[in-house]
Each structure stands twice: as structure tokens, then as C-alpha cells.
């Protein structure tokens, strides 16, 4: 059985514009993770500032919040064993130039400020729950058992 950990994954405006929603969802599904929520939306300035609060003192903060609010995003929640860390591995390094081929950023990105996807940081305890709560009410999340669960987990 999965430990039922949930994590937040968002296709950023560049990923949406480049038609990568399906590709990214497909990779997460293929890995065996279970979608627990999804929302196609455009972030406003307040949500962007809250979501990226840890970076508010950084020189790139204004560019980052301008970019993340510049177009629609696809916000999702995924459930599975060690989901936060597993997704971060699938995303690759923050800078696509350093991201390994085979990772989402390594396969679809070139530039640090256009790295296609966001995922909760597994090294920041509680980041997953905090980010999920920013984007989703409890009743917008669905707990369900995937038909292949017995074949995904020992
Ligand atoms: P992460 O997205 O891999 O968790 P963070 O360090 O949390 O990386 O940074 C958040 C986002 O801010 C990154 O995904 C990237 O788009 C952007 N970013 C991070 N560092 C820089 C920088 O030095 N210059 C410009 N943008 C940056
Ligand atoms: Mg981060």
C-alpha cells in the first residue's frame, strides 16, 4: 500500500503555452502516482507572493512572480508512496541546464526562469501540505483507490 503522501505539482505558464500539460500528466500517471486534484487557473499577485514567500528577498523574486502570474497554470495534487521526493526526482534540477536528460526539466527546458514545472520541495517539511492548501479546498481533493494499486506496491 502507498503511504498516501500528497504533493503539489504545477505546470507553469511556459509549460502550458508550450502544450506540455498532457506530457507532464502522462509521466506522473505512468509512474503510478494517483491524481487527487486538478485546477486550470491563473494565479494573482497575492497567491504568487504567498506561494513563493521563501524567495521574497531574492533578486529574482519580482521576475518570478511576474512570470508565474503571466498566464494560466495547471495546478495538481498527486498521491503515492514518497510522492514529494519521487516527483522532485522526475522534475530534475531547478536549472534545466543542470537537469539530467529523462527528467521533465532536462527534456523540456533550457533556462532557469523557464523551467516548465513546479513541485513541492521534499527538503522543506510541510511544503507539500502548505502548497496544496494554497490552491485547493479540502472538498476539491478526491481520495480514491486506483485499480492497479496491488501491482504498484508490495
Ligand atoms: P524549485 O522550483 O526547483 O523548487 P526554487 O529554488 O524553489 O527551485 O526556485 C523557485 C523558482 O524560481 C525556480 O523554479 C526558478 O524558476 C526560479 N529561480 C530560482 N533561482 C533563480 C535564479 O537564480 N534566477 C532566476 N530564477 C530563479
Ligand atoms: Mg522550490
Amino acid at each position: 500500500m502507498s503511504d498516501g503522501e500528497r504533493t503539489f505539482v504545477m505546470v507553469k505558464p511556459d509549460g502550458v503555452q508550450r502544450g506540455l500539460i498532457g506530457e507532464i500528466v502522462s509521466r506522473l500517471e505512468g509512474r503510478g502516482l494517483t491524481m487527487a486534484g486538478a485546477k486550470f487557473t491563473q494565479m494573482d499577485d497575492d497567491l504568487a507572493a504567498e506561494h513563493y514567500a521563501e524567495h521574497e528577498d531574492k533578486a529574482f523574486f519580482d521576475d518570478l512572480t511576474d512570470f508565474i502570474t503571466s498566464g494560466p497554470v495547471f495546478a495538481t495534487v498527486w498521491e503515492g508512496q514518497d510522492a514529494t521526493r519521487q516527483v522532485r526526482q522526475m522534475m530534475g534540477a531547478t536549472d534545466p541546464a543542470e537537469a539530467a536528460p529523462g527528467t521533465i526539466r532536462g527534456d523540456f527546458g533550457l533556462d532557469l526562469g523557464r523551467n516548465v514545472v513546479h513541485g513541492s520541495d521534499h527538503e522543506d517539511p510541510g511544503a507539500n501540505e502548505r502548497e496544496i492548501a494554497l490552491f485547493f479546498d479540502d472538498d476539491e481533493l478526491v481520495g480514491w483507490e486506483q485499480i492497479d494499486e496491488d501491482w504498484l506496491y508490495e
Side-chain angles (χ1 to χ4, degrees):
M1 276 290 282
S2 146
D3 62 10
E5 182 176 305
R6 283 178 172 173
T7 194
F8 179 72
V9 185
M10 179 169 71
V11 183
K12 295 183 179 184
D14 52 336
V16 172
Q17 291 285 354
R18 293 175 56 211
L20 294 172
I21 292 175
E23 170 73 35
I24 291 167
V25 168
S26 181
R27 287 183 178 217
L28 297 166
E29 285 182 323
R31 188 75 190 271
L33 294 163
T34 302
M35 189 187 280
K39 188 177 283 188
F40 188 66
T41 186
Q42 186 156 355
M43 293 169 68
D44 62 22
D45 292 339
D46 289 345
L47 181 57
E50 242 184 306
H51 177 68
Y52 281 126
E54 64 173 309
H55 298 303
E56 65 187 346
D57 297 331
K58 311 260 174 67
F60 61 84
F61 181 74
D62 287 346
D63 287 342
L64 178 60
T65 52
D66 283 351
F67 166 65
I68 210 70
T69 58
S70 68
V73 296
F74 191 58
T76 57
V77 177
W78 293 84
E79 190 173 304
Q81 185 166 283
D82 206 9
T84 310
R85 191 178 61 86
Q86 307 252 35
V87 168
R88 288 294 296 204
Q89 285 191 328
M90 293 173 74
M91 283 169 38
T94 301
D95 186 348
E98 306 297 327
T103 63
I104 295 167
R105 288 164 167 173
D107 286 349
F108 298 109
L110 290 167
D111 187 85
L112 178 56
R114 298 289 184 270
N115 60 5
V116 179
V117 69
H118 168 87
S120 304
D121 188 348
H122 66 295
E123 290 174 343
D124 180 0
N128 53 342
E129 298 295 341
R130 193 170 64 244
E131 293 178 351
I132 290 168
L134 274 182
F135 283 81
F136 292 92
D137 294 331
D138 282 348
D139 65 3
E140 293 177 310
L141 299 174
V142 183
W144 58 289
E145 196 171 323
Q146 244 174 241
I147 196 169
D148 54 3
E149 187 122 335
D150 287 345
W151 303 100
L152 283 166
Y153 299 105
E154 190 176 355

